[in-house]
Amino acid sequence: MLAIYKRELRAYFQSMVGCVFVAFLIVFTGIYFMAYNLVSGYPYFSYTLSGSLIVFIVGIPLITMRSFSEERRNRTDQLLLTAPVSLGKIVMGKYLAMVTVIAIPNVIFCIFPLIIKSQGTAYLTVDYISIGVFFLLGCVYAAIGMFLSSLTESQMIAFISTFGILLVLYLWDGILSMLPVSAVSGLVGILIILSIAAFYIWHMTGNALISGAVEIIGAAAAVIVFVAKRELYENLLTNLLGRLALADVFTGITENSIVDVTGIVLYLSVIVVFVFLTMQSIQKRRWS
């Protein structure tokens, strides 16, 4: 795993992708820092950092798009899959290289609250927690981008799909406000989610019987619950999908200085899930 990690990390900076990401994030955040903290005298660096979330939407796809799609396009993935290294170590080696690239600007950000402190009042605890959560959110986005990269051999498709997903997550609160709140719409939403889950199971296993059974049994259970207790489906989509507003955990710190421990657990869970899905995607290709 260490050899793969070193190779990937070296590739990021030899191709300048890593340098561009680090430089752009620092410069963008530095502009906000200059405007809000130094010129306007606002004492929270966490508020400044929230303005840099938009950089992740473009920057994260940039560093994840080549992770597995380039290997597939160059046919070097076969060398990796036949190497005497477990699939988990291959995936984790690549993922940790991305995490390291994301960590570099965040380490530099640790200096900014000290600059505020040298000029007057500063809230170091909130600022450093926000930097840690900001970094963790970047790791979540990287896990999603790595999974999408494992599904295609085109770096451009990997970039666009990751950019699209991250943009939707960034705008998630606004999208949720447009969803209907009736019980019927909640049932329809559950049925759509079941169909998506069944399609993914079919795509990964190739077994139409299992995927069909999952959808039929799930749909029957959903309809029975709807008939028995209709009120459970009111506002269900908003409540269920509201947890996907991943940036809310970070903005809760920047806006209200509140640390949501369940949100941190959610971040770690999403990372584990998408690393696992990446491994399953590659494993499927190994045996196909």
Side-chain angles (χ1 to χ4, degrees):
M1 184 178 77
L2 184 60
I4 294 173
Y5 167 78
K6 289 180 178 179
R7 189 197 74 164
E8 290 296 313
L9 187 61
R10 185 165 55 248
Y12 277 121
F13 291 99
Q14 286 178 344
S15 65
M16 297 301 292
V17 171
C19 295
V20 169
F21 173 81
V22 171
F24 188 62
L25 184 55
I26 292 174
V27 169
F28 193 90
T29 305
I31 293 173
Y32 270 84
F33 176 72
M34 181 72 69
Y36 287 118
N37 299 120
L38 298 186
V39 176
S40 300
Y42 195 75
Y44 288 96
F45 177 67
S46 56
Y47 181 78
T48 298
L49 201 59
S50 64
S52 300
L53 278 178
I54 192 70
V55 178
F56 275 168
I57 298 177
V58 178
I60 296 297
L62 188 67
I63 64 175
T64 61
M65 66 180 186
R66 59 171 293 276
S67 56
F68 285 100
S69 59
E70 184 181 46
E71 302 280 4
R72 290 184 64 177
R73 183 173 61 85
N74 297 332
R75 300 294 184 264
T76 54
D77 59 331
Q78 300 302 319
L79 297 176
L80 283 176
L81 295 177
T82 56
V85 181
S86 68
L87 181 58
K89 290 182 178 180
I90 293 173
V91 173
M92 287 306 300
K94 287 177 171 287
Y95 180 67
L96 290 176
M98 300 178 208
V99 168
T100 302
V101 175
I102 297 170
I104 292 173
N106 283 275
V107 171
I108 296 174
F109 290 157
C110 292
I111 302 173
F112 289 18
L114 298 178
I115 297 176
I116 299 175
K117 180 69 174 177
S118 68
Q119 302 298 316
T121 303
Y123 299 90
L124 298 181
T125 302
V126 174
D127 288 342
Y128 284 122
I129 291 176
S130 67
I131 292 173
V133 177
F134 183 77
F135 164 70
L136 197 57
L137 180 59
C139 295
V140 172
Y141 289 166
I144 296 172
M146 182 177 67
F147 168 66
L148 294 173
S149 178
S150 71
L151 299 177
T152 178
E153 64 179 29
S154 170
Q155 292 190 45
M156 187 56 64
I157 293 176
F159 177 89
I160 293 173
S161 59
T162 304
F163 173 81
I165 293 294
L166 298 189
L167 181 61
V168 168
L169 291 175
Y170 184 76
L171 302 173
W172 196 246
D173 285 334
I175 294 173
L176 288 181
S177 66
M178 296 185 291
L179 291 178
V181 297
S182 66
V184 174
S185 63
L187 175 62
V188 172
I190 291 297
L191 295 178
I192 292 174
I193 293 173
L194 280 171
S195 297
I196 295 173
F199 175 78
Y200 179 76
I201 293 172
W202 171 81
H203 176 72
M204 294 302 296
T205 65
N207 193 318
L209 182 62
I210 295 177
S211 59
V214 168
E215 183 165 14
I216 292 172
I217 294 173
V223 171
I224 291 172
V225 173
F226 177 79
V227 173
K229 209 163 186 179
R230 184 187 180 99
E231 62 272 15
L232 288 178
Y233 284 87
E234 295 178 358
N235 290 308
L236 180 62
L237 284 180
T238 303
N239 295 332
L240 185 64
L241 299 178
R243 296 301 299 175
L244 295 179
L246 299 176
D248 283 358
V249 180
F250 173 71
T251 55
I253 299 173
T254 60
E255 295 176 1
N256 305 311
S257 300
I258 297 174
V259 180
D260 184 3
V261 178
T262 60
I264 304 298
V265 174
L266 174 65
Y267 280 4
L268 296 175
S269 301
V270 172
I271 291 172
V272 171
V273 167
F274 277 97
V275 169
F276 173 77
L277 290 177
T278 302
M279 293 172 59
Q280 295 306 305
S281 174
I282 299 170
Q283 186 75 5
K284 177 179 180 292
R285 193 165 69 251
R286 168 184 279 180
W287 297 112
S288 62

